[in-house]
Amino acid sequence: MGALIVPSEYGYVLGVAAFSALHLMFLGVKVGKARKAAKVPYPYAYAEKSEAEKDPLKNIFNCTQRAHQNTLEVFPIYSTLLLIGGLKYPEISAAAGLVHCLGRQVYASGYSTGNPDKRTRGAFGYLGLITLLGTSSLTIYHLLMD
């Protein structure tokens, strides 16, 4: 098996990972603000459908909450691929991570308008995720085959 040497450029990967965590916090703050504006009390994760259909603020809260939740759902996959792929391909992985984060921001911004169709504007972020799948696969291959 090949030796694992962490390149100094891995700092870019760690910087993108930290930025990604801050992005999640930012989305959480947006959910809190939307919750307050819509007057949706804790512990309820969403406003009821009938309420959201009548109150635009409750609909916006639901959409903002869902954008954050979906980002949380993909975060472990993204983080794992970023950290693995960055071991051998730090610059490519860091750039792909930023593309993914930018896509998630556009996704969340569009979704948070209250019109779920606008979330698809962030679909380009999956190019970053697919690139990370490639860099992580190649990293694993090289570790096992070298």
Side-chain angles (χ1 to χ4, degrees):
M1 283 198 217
L4 178 63
I5 298 170
V6 178
S8 61
E9 294 85 2
Y10 197 70
Y12 297 127
V13 173
L14 295 177
V16 171
F19 174 78
S20 302
L22 292 174
H23 181 247
L24 282 178
M25 290 174 30
F26 169 76
L27 293 179
V29 168
K30 281 187 71 172
V31 170
K33 288 180 180 179
R35 176 184 293 280
K36 185 175 181 181
K39 298 183 173 104
V40 176
Y42 286 103
Y44 303 106
Y46 294 96
E48 293 292 327
K49 180 181 177 188
S50 60
E51 293 177 321
E53 288 173 342
K54 294 177 199 168
D55 184 346
L57 291 177
K58 286 185 175 22
N59 183 55
I60 288 171
F61 166 70
N62 282 356
C63 290
T64 304
Q65 173 77 318
R66 185 65 198 126
H68 182 236
Q69 181 65 39
N70 183 262
T71 302
L72 287 168
E73 290 164 4
V74 78
F75 191 75
I77 297 164
Y78 156 76
S79 299
T80 301
L81 296 176
L82 173 67
L83 296 174
I84 293 171
L87 289 170
K88 185 143 181 77
Y89 304 97
E91 293 98 341
I92 295 170
S93 294
L98 286 175
V99 169
H100 176 76
C101 286
L102 181 59
R104 295 310 300 183
Q105 179 56 40
V106 172
Y107 168 88
S109 292
Y111 211 158
S112 297
T113 64
N115 180 354
D117 291 339
K118 291 185 178 180
R119 76 190 189 284
T120 59
R121 295 175 182 167
F124 68 87
Y126 283 104
L127 294 173
L129 197 61
I130 291 166
T131 301
L132 290 173
L133 179 60
T135 59
S136 63
S137 297
L138 287 170
T139 297
I140 292 166
Y141 174 80
H142 286 292
L143 282 171
L144 294 174
M145 296 303 173
D146 285 347

